[in-house]
Amino acid sequence: MKPDPVLVEIVQGYLASVEQEVETAIGRTARSPMIRDAHDYRAGIHDRKLRKLTGRSYSALVHPVVRDYPIGTMKPGDVYFHNDVYLSEGGIGHLPDLCVTVPVFHGNDVVAFVQAFGHHDDIGGTVPGSMPSHATSVYEEGLMVPPIKLWAEGVPNEAALKIMTRNSRMPESLAADLDAECAACLMGARRMAELFDRYGRDTVEACFDAIIDNTTDTFRREVLAKIPEGTYVWEDYAEHDGIDPPKLHTQRITLTREPDRLVLDFSGTSPQAKGPINHAGDYADGVFLKKWLAPILRNLADSPERSAELDVNEGVVPLIEMRFPPPGTLLTPIFPAPTNARTFVILRLLGVLAGVLAKAVDGRMPADQETIRYTGVYGTDADGQPYLMREVLGGGSGGRPYADGEDTIHVVPDSRNLPTEFSESRFPFVVERLELAVDSGGPGRYRGGLGYEKHIRMLRDAHFMSIADRSILSCWGVAGGRAGRPFSLTIDPGGPRERDVDALADAEPVAAGEVIRIRTTGGGGWGDPLDRPVGDVLRDLRWARCP
């Protein structure tokens, strides 16, 4: 059955609307700053075949839920939950990412799934925030929950909720966030059921097939066609793992362009680290990793405007073949290797893929961009109550063949820094400065984007924490562009106790009155800096983009 193309567009728009409605509901009803304010959560809609249908945001996988709870056993009102990295089929990267999945019913049959997962404040472990930078085992990182039925036919599993909240240092916000995610996904499931009621199952499922097939055809025609056949190699490095002294942890991609697909071979990737920078990516044939990396391919579209129109749904999966090294590497860690800082690997791979594509297409790709970092403080407030402030701070993106890099972007879609007004009203500190980090972007014909500079003055004694990379190595340039500046942390700059802090820190003491200065990474430049027009240089000076 071939559906009406107009109806396909209607269904695709409906899916995007439901996905956004679910995310909006979570944002308005969650309690923790990481979910509500920093927006570190995602929703996704999948069909009965477990294929991701939406492309605005990435999401986890339904595979682990269906593996443990066959579709035929599911009932309306069921809600499934998991956060176990090694039992998530690669869809969950670290334990603070809690995932909720709700089946959609048409009559008595499951026809789709609505899913959400987000980075929560705390799920136990050895340090507040459940991201110990010196962990050597996943057991130190928090409570592991394999796929379970959190709600059964509309009735919450109170015992499971008690266990999870008992293991959290922030039980109230954890319970509220889970309630928000469950309610939002159940609402999304109702919206999806209305779609099936309106058009019928056969018609809607035919539209799903068309949506995915259209993506496959579009990427093959508009993206893969730009890559010459051949084999290309690029590697980049994580610089430390929290345990061993700083060293290069290699992430390598050998890209082979075959007539009908791209082959990504990760052979040459370093052995798994002792510390928590590993990512369990070699599950479900790398399906999650394919969808995670595919947005980089959009840079090959004919224009930035066209790039923004390309959805990354399950349609990209047939176009990418992944070949993983044997177990025991950064991408194929062996349980119970720690994973809480897996962003050092999974986000670096975005840059590695961009680098190998740049080699294939004579540099017509952006320079290297920021990755991600989590910073925060914890202690007790004036009332003696414990608090935890975690923040995701972005950095600069790389210069592009047609434009400068963007300043202070967040590589995780829709994530953002915490508003100063909110932070100062809730936590015992003052944000004295939040501005662009001058001259942090790499020089080039098109300069790299700038990172943040943030100054936080503590009003009470506290501890500072950081999970960040690019503190030694910088974001590289392309086509003669220069590297950006790396990440840095300084406590009490210019004061009597000025000291630099390692980018991996769990409990750096900060006294009342001391300032924490955070400077995030700048993107690499694109093209020879001497080719930059004089007018652009003068504008940079006027706008304080450089000294």
Side-chain angles (χ1 to χ4, degrees):
M1 173 182 171
K2 189 172 182 179
D4 181 346
V6 175
L7 182 58
V8 172
E9 291 288 334
I10 292 172
V11 170
Q12 190 166 13
Y14 190 97
L15 295 174
S17 176
V18 172
E19 180 184 70
Q20 192 164 14
E21 187 175 3
V22 170
E23 290 195 358
T24 300
I26 293 171
R28 289 181 174 178
T29 55
R31 179 169 176 179
S32 69
M34 187 64 76
I35 300 290
R36 185 189 63 212
D37 300 287
H39 205 273
D40 195 355
Y41 65 93
R42 305 289 168 264
I45 299 173
H46 308 252
D47 69 3
R48 180 184 171 87
K49 300 175 184 177
L50 317 186
R51 300 178 300 181
K52 182 173 181 287
L53 299 169
T54 45
R56 191 186 67 83
S57 181
Y58 69 89
S59 58
L61 301 177
V62 182
H63 300 62
V65 174
V66 173
R67 178 198 65 214
D68 293 357
Y69 294 89
I71 287 178
T73 66
M74 296 178 176
K75 304 291 184 183
D78 286 350
V79 178
Y80 300 88
F81 172 89
H82 69 281
N83 78 326
D84 189 315
V85 171
Y86 288 92
L87 294 180
S88 73
E89 302 291 344
I92 295 293
H94 60 179
L95 296 183
D97 282 347
L98 310 184
C99 184
V100 169
T101 306
V102 173
V104 177
F105 282 83
H106 179 68
N108 296 320
D109 297 326
V110 174
V111 290
F113 296 90
V114 177
Q115 189 178 73
F117 83 99
H119 183 137
H120 293 248
D121 274 345
D122 188 274
I123 193 67
T126 58
V127 301
S130 308
M131 293 182 67
S133 63
H134 300 91
T136 58
S137 163
V138 71
Y139 293 113
E140 300 171 57
E141 298 177 323
L143 180 69
M144 289 181 285
V145 183
I148 63 170
K149 190 181 292 187
L150 190 61
W151 290 32
E153 300 183 63
V155 180
N157 183 334
E158 297 293 343
L161 290 168
K162 284 182 180 178
I163 291 170
M164 285 190 281
T165 53
R166 179 60 175 169
N167 277 271
S168 174
R169 297 171 179 84
M170 305 288 166
E172 293 86 3
S173 64
L174 176 62
D177 289 349
L178 282 174
D179 279 349
E181 289 165 353
C182 291
C185 287
L186 286 165
M187 177 271 295
R190 292 194 297 271
R191 297 286 187 270
M192 288 297 298
E194 292 169 3
L195 177 68
F196 282 87
D197 290 341
R198 182 179 305 170
Y199 296 112
R201 177 174 175 178
D202 290 344
T203 298
V204 172
E205 290 186 338
C207 290
F208 291 170
D209 291 339
I211 289 168
I212 291 171
D213 290 344
N214 289 344
T215 296
T216 303
D217 293 342
T218 299
F219 269 78
R220 180 179 286 120
R221 183 178 62 256
E222 298 187 27
V223 175
L224 265 64
K226 305 283 184 63
I227 305 172
E229 290 192 23
T231 298
Y232 313 89
V233 182
W234 187 260
E235 66 181 37
D236 204 343
Y237 317 96
E239 55 206 19
H240 52 168
D241 72 346
I243 302 297
D244 285 330
K247 66 178 184 180
L248 299 183
H249 298 266
T250 304
Q251 294 150 73
R252 178 181 297 165
I253 291 178
T254 300
L255 181 149
T256 301
R257 168 71 163 94
E258 295 187 348
D260 62 341
R261 72 186 63 199
L262 296 178
V263 178
L264 304 184
D265 189 335
F266 299 100
S267 298
T269 295
S270 287
Q272 72 183 48
K274 294 179 183 176
I277 66 172
N278 307 288
H279 174 68
D282 58 327
Y283 291 83
D285 296 321
V287 166
F288 176 84
L289 206 55
K290 292 179 184 181
K291 290 178 284 189
W292 170 260
L293 294 175
I296 292 296
L297 298 172
R298 297 187 299 185
N299 287 291
L300 297 175
D302 288 339
S303 68
E305 293 77 17
R306 179 56 179 157
S307 172
E309 294 172 350
L310 300 181
D311 280 348
V312 178
N313 56 37
E314 205 76 17
V316 303
V317 171
L319 300 176
I320 302 173
E321 178 185 342
M322 290 192 163
R323 298 176 183 173
F324 292 97
T329 71
L330 291 173
L331 273 177
T332 59
I334 300 171
F335 180 84
T339 66
N340 74 78
R342 92 294 187 203
T343 50
F344 286 29
V345 169
I346 191 171
L347 290 171
R348 181 68 71 252
L349 284 178
L350 294 171
V352 180
L353 180 57
V356 75
L357 286 170
K359 291 183 72 173
V361 299
D362 296 325
R364 297 189 303 276
M365 286 288 292
D368 193 31
Q369 66 178 11
E370 72 99 23
T371 49
I372 196 172
R373 73 255 346 122
Y374 297 90
T375 59
V377 292
Y378 63 93
T380 56
D381 60 23
D383 296 325
Q385 297 299 311
Y387 72 89
L388 168 66
M389 187 282 290
R390 296 300 299 266
E391 184 170 29
V392 181
L393 279 176
S397 69
R400 297 160 286 183
Y402 55 88
D404 292 343
E406 296 287 345
D407 302 327
T408 57
I409 61 116
H410 289 243
V411 69
V412 176
D414 295 334
S415 291
R416 61 199 67 155
N417 62 294
L418 294 180
T420 296
E421 296 81 3
F422 162 77
S423 297
E424 291 182 340
S425 68
R426 180 160 179 173
F427 306 115
F429 60 70
V430 174
V431 178
E432 294 190 338
R433 294 172 68 179
L434 178 60
E435 59 191 21
L436 297 176
V438 175
D439 205 29
S440 55
R445 166 62 183 86
Y446 298 107
R447 65 165 178 81
L450 306 186
Y452 283 101
E453 178 159 336
K454 187 167 189 175
H455 294 199
I456 301 172
R457 185 177 296 277
M458 299 307 303
L459 302 180
R460 296 177 58 84
D461 293 351
H463 289 89
F464 178 79
M465 56 174 57
S466 171
I467 295 285
D469 65 348
R470 285 297 195 226
S471 62
I472 300 173
L473 303 175
S474 300
C475 293
W476 37 262
V478 167
R482 308 295 173 80
R485 288 190 175 179
F487 175 81
S488 66
L489 287 170
T490 304
I491 305 295
D492 199 27
R497 300 183 65 241
E498 178 176 344
R499 58 202 183 274
D500 292 330
V501 179
D502 191 82
L504 283 171
D506 287 337
E508 177 68 23
V510 186
E514 289 188 322
V515 171
I516 303 166
R517 184 181 68 196
I518 306 165
R519 289 176 176 164
T520 69
T521 53
W526 194 96
D528 189 337
L530 296 180
D531 292 335
R532 188 167 179 81
V534 173
D536 290 355
V537 175
L538 293 175
R539 183 196 62 195
D540 291 341
L541 291 168
R542 188 168 62 251
W543 290 357
R545 291 317 200 250
C546 59

